[in-house]
Amino acid sequence: MTTLLNGKELSEELKQKMKIEVDELKEKGLTPHLTVILVGDNPASKSYVRGKEKACAVTGISSNLIELPDDTTEEELLSIIEEQNNDDSVHGILVQLPLPDQMDEQKIIHAISPAKDVDGFHPINVGKMMTGEDTFIPCTPYGILTMLQSKDISLEGKHAVIIGRSNIVGKPIGLLLLQENATVTYTHSRTKNLQEITKQADILIVAMGRAHAINADYIKKDAVVIDVGINRKDDGKLTGDVDFESAKEKASFITPVPRGVGPMTITMLLKNTIKAAKGLNHVER
Ligand code: GUN
């Protein structure tokens, strides 16, 4: 029998708990604040950013959105980030990716204070995660891990196969699963015999960005299947990288799209913002 990993439901529970924590912090005079920076008018990015603002409001976290035109220069963006770094009322800074072509994404990420880097993308925070130190964990991998833990899915000694090697999802989720004592295999667009490898997975993380690329033929019986894909169909509806209807016949646990990993990503951003406000990531600004 397949159990649905309902990220929407879990994220609602977590947000309720966070609201209580935020209320307590506010009583002590500390209001967690997140600044979101959006450059250009990519419709998907706009929609994600709206979701982030809404989730902040629900939990009582204050947020502001800085919207910049598509032709903003790298220098202009760097100076805005500097202002936010120096503003003590701002605890978290998120620059929505991808950025327009004239910007060097890595240079922008470097400019965000590691203490305010609620995405966990700054090299200092990436390094800390790699060595198992306490830091901001990137939101999507953090959300996936939280979902697995919420169902007491054991990771120790399990073979986790990751499809996709992005800095945002693939690479960090592999590291986190390794820290939980899983045996991790990374696969990607150049991997040969993908199906042979995925069929060995006890835990299969799919983050390839191609609608319904993975069906039951790629899945071992009773595997845990996590679908990170968010693809828009012709009818405007969202769908994952996994062919849910066929995959659910084989999987023991599976995430749907929508209402799977997506809501958890936003929820973990809130958690990181609260952590930043409490000053728990002890790094130089
Ligand atoms: N674009 C897609 N996912 C993310 C994310 O987690 N953080 C940021 N900043 N941009 C993204």
Side-chain angles (χ1 to χ4, degrees):
M1 209 195 66
T2 307
T3 304
L4 201 66
L5 289 169
N6 188 324
K8 174 86 180 137
E9 239 171 60
L10 178 58
S11 69
E12 292 306 325
E13 272 173 41
L14 293 173
K15 279 191 283 191
Q16 276 181 22
K17 284 191 192 142
M18 280 191 264
K19 185 170 186 330
I20 295 168
E21 188 178 4
V22 171
D23 284 344
E24 284 168 3
L25 290 174
K26 282 178 167 173
E27 270 172 32
K28 291 184 201 150
L30 177 63
T31 302
H33 183 92
L34 174 70
T35 292
V36 178
I37 304 175
L38 174 64
V39 188
D41 46 22
N42 177 326
S45 291
K46 276 193 163 177
S47 151
Y48 297 149
V49 160
R50 248 181 272 127
K52 287 167 185 176
E53 284 198 292
K54 210 171 123 193
C56 281
V58 165
T59 39
I61 293 173
S62 89
S63 72
N64 70 310
L65 172 62
I66 301 179
E67 279 188 279
L68 301 169
D70 202 45
D71 60 358
T72 302
T73 65
E74 200 174 78
E75 242 171 44
E76 285 167 330
L77 179 56
L78 288 171
S79 116
I80 288 169
I81 291 172
E82 191 54 25
E83 265 171 38
Q84 300 299 310
N85 281 342
N86 293 328
D87 184 339
D88 286 341
S89 69
V90 173
H91 304 106
I93 303 170
L94 180 142
V95 177
Q96 185 66 27
L97 304 177
L99 287 167
D101 290 345
Q102 72 274 19
M103 308 232 187
D104 176 348
E105 221 157 76
Q106 224 31 47
K107 193 169 169 187
I108 299 299
I109 289 169
H110 274 244
I112 299 170
S113 158
K116 299 189 178 188
D117 168 37
V118 284
D119 262 326
F121 293 166
H122 190 287
I124 286 187
N125 291 327
V126 174
K128 287 173 98 177
M129 187 184 64
M130 173 115 196
T131 50
E133 282 178 62
D134 185 34
T135 187
F136 296 120
I137 296 173
C139 302
T140 302
Y142 194 7
I144 293 170
L145 197 62
T146 304
M147 278 176 118
L148 295 171
Q149 287 168 342
S150 78
K151 295 287 184 196
D152 291 324
I153 294 170
S154 114
L155 300 170
E156 178 143 337
K158 297 291 168 64
H159 187 189
V161 174
I162 326 279
I163 315 180
R165 53 175 160 177
S166 69
N167 291 335
I168 296 183
V169 183
K171 283 182 198 162
I173 188 64
L175 277 177
L176 292 178
L177 293 172
L178 183 65
Q179 268 157 21
E180 298 296 325
N181 298 318
T183 302
V184 176
T185 301
Y186 284 103
T187 70
H188 47 79
S189 52
R190 311 280 172 87
T191 296
K192 297 202 171 69
N193 304 324
L194 178 66
Q195 195 169 327
E196 252 170 54
I197 301 170
T198 60
K199 285 200 79 158
Q200 298 170 32
D202 301 309
I203 298 166
L204 181 62
I205 314 277
V206 188
M208 48 201 308
R210 203 143 47 85
H212 295 196
I214 298 300
N215 60 25
D217 296 342
Y218 288 77
I219 296 168
K220 181 169 91 170
K221 176 129 184 42
D222 291 332
V224 176
V225 178
I226 306 290
D227 187 354
V228 186
I230 303 179
N231 310 286
R232 209 165 275 281
K233 292 191 287 186
D234 291 341
D235 63 6
K237 293 196 176 135
L238 296 180
T239 194
D241 290 352
V242 174
D243 173 14
F244 182 84
E245 286 309 315
S246 85
K248 78 176 194 321
E249 302 301 327
K250 282 253 188 94
S252 56
F253 291 89
I254 187 166
T255 59
V257 177
R259 293 183 291 282
V261 173
M264 290 300 293
T265 295
I266 296 185
T267 302
M268 302 332 276
L269 170 67
L270 306 177
K271 206 160 172 91
N272 279 347
T273 303
I274 295 170
K275 185 183 175 106
K278 286 160 57 178
L280 290 179
N281 188 25
H282 297 289
V283 280
E284 294 298 314
R285 269 220 307 219

Coordinates of all heavy atoms in Angstrom, one line a residue, residues 48 52 94-98 119 121 139-140 168 265, ligand 1:
Y48 N 6.4 32.1 -6.9 CA 7.1 31.5 -5.7 C 7.2 32.6 -4.7 O 7.0 32.4 -3.5 CB 8.5 31.0 -6.1 CG 8.5 29.8 -7.0 CD1 9.6 29.7 -7.9 CD2 7.5 28.9 -7.1 CE1 9.6 28.6 -8.8 CE2 7.5 27.8 -8.0 CZ 8.6 27.7 -8.8 OH 8.6 26.7 -9.7
K52 N 6.0 32.9 -0.7 CA 6.9 33.1 0.4 C 6.3 34.3 1.3 O 6.3 34.2 2.5 CB 8.3 33.4 -0.1 CG 9.0 32.2 -0.7 CD 10.2 32.5 -1.5 CE 10.8 31.2 -2.1 NZ 11.9 31.3 -2.9
L94 N 16.7 36.9 0.9 CA 16.6 35.9 -0.1 C 16.5 36.6 -1.5 O 15.7 37.4 -1.7 CB 15.3 35.1 0.1 CG 15.0 34.0 -1.0 CD1 14.5 32.8 -0.3 CD2 14.1 34.4 -2.1
V95 N 17.5 36.2 -2.4 CA 17.5 36.7 -3.7 C 16.9 35.6 -4.6 O 17.5 34.5 -4.7 CB 18.9 37.1 -4.2 CG1 18.8 37.6 -5.7 CG2 19.5 38.2 -3.3
Q96 N 15.8 35.8 -5.2 CA 15.1 34.8 -5.9 C 15.9 34.4 -7.2 O 16.3 35.3 -7.9 CB 13.7 35.2 -6.3 CG 12.9 34.1 -7.0 CD 12.5 32.9 -6.1 OE1 12.5 33.0 -4.9 NE2 12.4 31.8 -6.8
L97 N 16.2 33.2 -7.4 CA 16.9 32.7 -8.6 C 15.9 32.1 -9.6 O 14.9 31.6 -9.1 CB 18.0 31.7 -8.2 CG 19.0 32.1 -7.1 CD1 19.9 31.0 -6.7 CD2 19.8 33.3 -7.6
P98 N 16.2 32.0 -10.8 CA 17.4 32.5 -11.5 C 17.4 34.0 -11.7 O 16.4 34.7 -11.6 CB 17.3 31.8 -12.9 CG 15.9 31.6 -13.1 CD 15.2 31.5 -11.8
D119 N 18.7 31.0 2.6 CA 18.7 30.0 1.5 C 19.8 28.9 1.8 O 19.7 27.8 1.2 CB 19.0 30.6 0.2 CG 17.7 30.9 -0.6 OD1 16.8 30.1 -0.5 OD2 17.8 31.9 -1.4
F121 N 22.9 29.2 0.7 CA 23.6 29.1 -0.6 C 25.0 29.6 -0.5 O 25.8 29.4 -1.4 CB 22.9 29.8 -1.7 CG 21.6 29.2 -2.1 CD1 20.7 29.9 -2.9 CD2 21.2 27.9 -1.7 CE1 19.4 29.3 -3.3 CE2 20.0 27.3 -2.1 CZ 19.1 28.0 -2.9
C139 N 16.5 25.2 1.7 CA 15.1 24.9 2.1 C 14.5 23.7 1.5 O 13.7 23.0 2.2 CB 14.2 26.2 1.7 SG 14.9 27.6 2.5
T140 N 14.7 23.4 0.2 CA 14.1 22.2 -0.4 C 14.7 20.9 0.2 O 13.9 20.1 0.7 CB 14.2 22.2 -2.0 OG1 13.6 23.4 -2.4 CG2 13.6 21.0 -2.6
I168 N 21.0 23.8 -5.6 CA 19.9 24.1 -4.7 C 19.2 22.8 -4.2 O 18.8 22.8 -3.0 CB 18.8 24.9 -5.6 CG1 19.3 26.3 -6.0 CG2 17.5 25.1 -4.8 CD1 18.4 27.1 -6.8
T265 N 9.2 23.5 1.1 CA 10.3 24.4 0.8 C 10.1 25.8 1.4 O 10.9 26.4 2.1 CB 10.5 24.6 -0.8 OG1 10.9 23.3 -1.3 CG2 11.5 25.6 -1.1
Ligands
GUN1 N1 14.7 29.5 -7.2 C1 14.2 28.2 -7.1 N2 14.3 27.7 -5.9 C2 14.9 28.6 -5.1 C3 15.3 28.7 -3.8 O1 15.1 27.8 -3.0 N3 15.8 29.9 -3.4 C4 16.0 30.9 -4.2 N4 16.6 32.0 -3.7 N5 15.7 30.9 -5.5 C5 15.1 29.8 -5.9

